[in-house]
Amino acid sequence: MLDLGIDVLFKGTNFLRLLQGLWVSIEISLISVVISILLGMIVGVLMTMNNPILHVALKVYLEIVRIMPQMVLLFIVYFGTTRVFGLDLSAEASAIIVFCFWGTAEMGDLVRGSIKSISKVQFESAYALGMDKVQTYWYVISPQTFRRLVPLSINLITRMIKTTSLVMMIGIVEVLKVSQQIIEANRKISPNAAFGVFAVVFLLYFMVCWPISRLSNYLEKRWV
Amino acid sequence: MSELLKVTHLHKEFGKNVVLKDINLTVKKGEVVVIIGPSGCGKSTFLRCLNGLEELQDGVITVDGLPVEANKREITKLRQKIGMVFQSYELFPHMSVLDNIILAPLKVQRRNKEEAVREATELLDKVGLLDKKDYFPRQLSGGQKQRVAIVRALLMHPDILLFDEVTAALDPEMVHEVLETMLALARSGSTMLIVTHEMAFAKAVADRIVFIDKGEIVEETTDVADFFKEPSTPRAKKFLSTFTYE
Ligand SMILES: Nc1ncnc2c1ncn2[C@@H]1O[C@H](COP(=O)(O)OP(=O)(O)OP(=O)(O)O)[C@@H](O)[C@H]1O
Ligand SMILES: [Mg+2]
């Protein structure tokens, strides 16, 4: 029979460790997404205001996020700050900071886009019916913004989960790191383990991300 | 008959661009006034001023004796007296037809839900859209959306209705159903101010014609039939001649 090397996963607590590693990835993504959504809403609303200074500052911020590889940001925050500012940031905290820095920019842009995409006549139709500003935002504008935002932010979660594979570079033991450890430990007895273990990791990522992206597709079709 | 809407010395400009010059107009209860004029003459801006969507540079507008002032808190009260239907039928896309219609009556006027739904149902039935009450706007044709928008305005029990080219964005075969609805309203005694490019409709529905050109009222008459036969000003004559093809 073809030796895929999957058997190493059934040794000891190996599979459990892999799941724990996966949970680390999910946990970092979830915390980052929640914070990013909250901060992103603030940034998004700020971006729709016509303040020139704010506008430039936020533009620069967005550009930095776009240009810098996440890995570089991770190194700067984790290794850099410890040295320069004498801060003792844990690897997890550094990862969350970097992911939020990135996620807030993305969410901010999405929020700005959704608010801008609502036509002026929507506001005026509400005003013409006698609604005040608060009622207009509450019943007419926010629900539309929110509907556009939900599928997009779900999308961001899957991208974050995928990108968490980078955090092992600063020593966080997430799913990919665990699989490497398992493969290393079994190199002698099960040289094919690399294939089997990574295949399982692939499946794990898939099982987490696929339902999320289906959900986002579904919501997009239903609401837009 | 009592004066419902009174506009005196209305002056409106966008920057240096003067759009409305010294407009004076009085609309009595139950009257149907049709405003016509070339594109860009200020018709839409005029209607928008009437319900406080634009700020005035000069002049006074009163509805039922109360001044219309944009950006004042009282404006939301006044707007409940003024129903407006726009050219680009803007229903709220995230709500069903029924929810679109009862939103303002419930949230702004704090009416009883059962009663609002009952009245909405009756009105929808009148315009032949009762079977569409649970549809979403995107599932409706342009003409249907526009009739829902009219019902939405009606349910607020406004004293006066403003219509801004409500058929301009519609396919020809849908224009008729919307105009029929408006004609029925006019016959039932509603006070209406209508901007339209449909001259046959204007002739049929109007108690009075107001012709605006370059931001001024150039001609105003209650002899509607005569106006369309033989307007007394050359500018109106020229405008009307653009509607005949030879
Ligand atoms: N928000 C605005 N800012 C600047 N200028 C405006 C604005 N709205 C309208 N105008 C100008 O005011 C003038 C009158 O516009 P308005 O839309 O009232 O014309 P209209 O008579 O309704 O034309 P149409 O028949 O094409 O609808 C136009 O010259 C237009 O360019
Ligand atoms: Mg117009």
Side-chain angles (χ1 to χ4, degrees):
Chain A
M1 214 193 100
L2 200 61
D3 177 17
L4 297 178
I6 294 182
D7 51 318
V8 297
L9 287 175
F10 302 107
K11 268 195 242 159
T13 56
N14 279 356
F15 193 66
L16 188 67
R17 281 173 56 209
L18 209 57
L19 288 183
Q20 281 166 342
L22 185 67
W23 177 243
V24 171
S25 304
I26 294 174
E27 202 178 18
I28 291 178
S29 317
L30 277 183
I31 295 175
S32 307
V33 163
V34 170
I35 298 175
S36 297
I37 288 176
L38 296 177
L39 294 179
M41 289 201 191
I42 298 171
V43 169
V45 172
L46 288 180
M47 283 200 279
T48 58
M49 294 178 177
N50 298 321
N51 182 325
I53 300 168
L54 216 57
H55 196 75
V56 172
L58 291 168
K59 259 258 147 63
V60 171
Y61 167 46
L62 286 186
E63 277 308 306
I64 292 176
V65 174
R66 251 173 225 145
I67 293 165
M68 290 277 258
Q70 272 99 5
M71 184 105 82
V72 177
L73 288 173
L74 274 176
F75 284 167
I76 292 179
V77 172
Y78 184 58
F79 299 115
T81 53
T82 321
R83 284 283 160 78
V84 178
F85 303 109
L87 287 173
D88 191 19
L89 277 180
S90 72
E92 281 81 4
S94 309
I96 289 172
I97 289 174
V98 168
F99 277 56
C100 288
F101 184 72
W102 165 45
T104 302
E106 295 240 357
M107 277 312 295
D109 214 29
L110 295 176
V111 170
R112 183 196 57 83
S114 336
I115 294 178
K116 284 273 177 184
S117 72
I118 291 171
S119 85
K120 214 179 111 213
V121 196
Q122 284 287 317
F123 286 87
E124 289 180 348
S125 299
Y127 294 151
L129 287 166
M131 290 191 223
D132 59 28
K133 275 219 159 73
V134 175
Q135 288 169 327
T136 300
Y137 269 94
W138 187 256
Y139 296 112
V140 178
I141 306 303
S142 326
Q144 293 183 56
T145 319
F146 188 70
R147 272 151 204 256
R148 283 167 212 209
L149 227 50
V150 169
L152 298 172
S153 42
I154 290 178
N155 214 325
L156 184 63
I157 301 181
T158 58
R159 280 190 295 141
M160 281 203 176
I161 292 176
K162 283 190 283 182
T163 317
T164 46
S165 56
L166 292 179
V167 301
M168 72 173 190
M169 302 302 292
I170 56 172
I172 297 178
V173 186
E174 46 69 76
V175 63
L176 219 53
K177 186 74 194 170
V178 175
S179 49
Q180 273 187 352
Q181 289 170 346
I182 295 173
I183 294 162
E184 285 294 310
N186 295 284
R187 200 169 33 203
K188 292 263 161 54
I189 44 169
S190 185
N192 284 352
F195 182 84
V197 173
F198 283 135
V200 169
V201 170
F202 166 81
L203 281 178
L204 289 177
Y205 271 124
F206 181 79
M207 275 159 48
V208 174
C209 292
W210 192 70
I212 298 179
S213 91
R214 291 306 305 163
L215 179 67
S216 118
N217 277 348
Y218 170 77
L219 292 178
E220 204 156 20
K221 286 221 184 69
R222 230 194 107 154
W223 279 351
V224 170
Chain B
M1 280 198 283
S2 62
E3 287 173 0
L4 195 54
L5 172 77
K6 194 171 164 73
V7 180
T8 38
H9 303 302
L10 167 63
H11 185 87
K12 169 76 195 166
E13 49 192 51
F14 289 108
K16 283 216 167 64
N17 182 12
V18 179
V19 177
L20 294 169
K21 283 171 256 184
D22 193 25
I23 302 277
N24 295 284
L25 184 74
T26 309
V27 180
K28 295 188 204 108
K29 203 164 180 314
E31 218 181 356
V32 177
V33 176
V34 173
I35 301 174
I36 58 173
S39 180
C41 70
K43 305 179 296 292
S44 298
T45 308
F46 180 54
L47 291 197
R48 292 167 56 82
C49 289
L50 296 185
N51 77 346
L53 287 175
E54 300 283 353
E55 272 182 88
L56 315 179
Q57 273 64 53
D58 199 13
V60 179
I61 299 170
T62 58
V63 172
D64 223 1
L66 300 166
V68 175
E69 288 167 300
N71 299 328
K72 285 271 170 66
R73 282 188 74 213
E74 293 73 29
I75 192 69
T76 59
K77 287 238 169 54
L78 262 157
R79 283 180 179 142
Q80 295 174 40
K81 294 175 177 286
I82 311 168
M84 178 148 179
V85 184
F86 300 82
Q87 171 177 341
S88 50
Y89 27 82
E90 287 274 346
L91 300 176
F92 305 133
H94 59 293
M95 290 180 181
S96 71
V97 164
L98 187 66
D99 288 338
N100 259 280
I101 298 173
I102 61 173
L103 176 67
L106 295 190
K107 304 303 176 189
V108 177
Q109 296 179 325
R110 311 221 160 269
R111 301 232 301 261
N112 171 285
K113 180 161 182 185
E114 247 171 70
E115 177 261 328
V117 169
R118 190 173 340 109
E119 198 189 343
T121 314
E122 276 165 24
L123 285 172
L124 279 174
D125 197 20
K126 252 189 209 162
V127 298
L129 289 176
L130 189 53
D131 54 330
K132 302 279 188 288
K133 76 177 163 55
D134 297 318
Y135 280 42
F136 280 85
R138 67 183 134 81
Q139 298 168 304
L140 301 180
S141 74
Q144 292 169 337
K145 281 187 229 181
Q146 206 54 295
R147 281 180 285 158
V148 172
I150 292 173
V151 169
R152 183 171 71 173
L154 286 178
L155 203 61
M156 297 292 286
H157 302 151
D159 295 340
I160 182 166
L161 285 159
L162 313 177
F163 295 91
D164 188 4
E165 294 191 42
V166 290
T167 58
L170 299 181
D171 292 335
E173 65 267 27
M174 287 162 192
V175 169
H176 187 73
E177 60 190 43
V178 175
L179 295 184
E180 279 298 315
T181 303
M182 290 166 66
L183 207 56
L185 276 175
R187 301 234 160 99
S188 72
S190 304
T191 314
M192 296 158 81
L193 203 56
I194 303 171
V195 169
T196 184
H197 278 132
E198 302 283 339
M199 290 305 140
F201 170 67
K203 204 161 147 183
V205 79
D207 295 322
R208 182 149 47 113
I209 294 281
V210 173
F211 172 67
I212 299 184
D213 192 14
K214 301 200 179 85
E216 291 171 304
I217 295 183
V218 176
E219 194 168 338
E220 186 181 347
T221 177
T222 48
D223 295 325
V224 176
D226 285 351
F227 174 83
F228 283 103
K229 231 184 284 158
E230 190 65 46
S232 48
T233 59
R235 276 153 91 178
K237 210 173 278 177
K238 185 157 167 280
F239 172 71
L240 284 181
S241 73
T242 60
F243 286 88
T244 49
Y245 306 95
E246 277 157 278

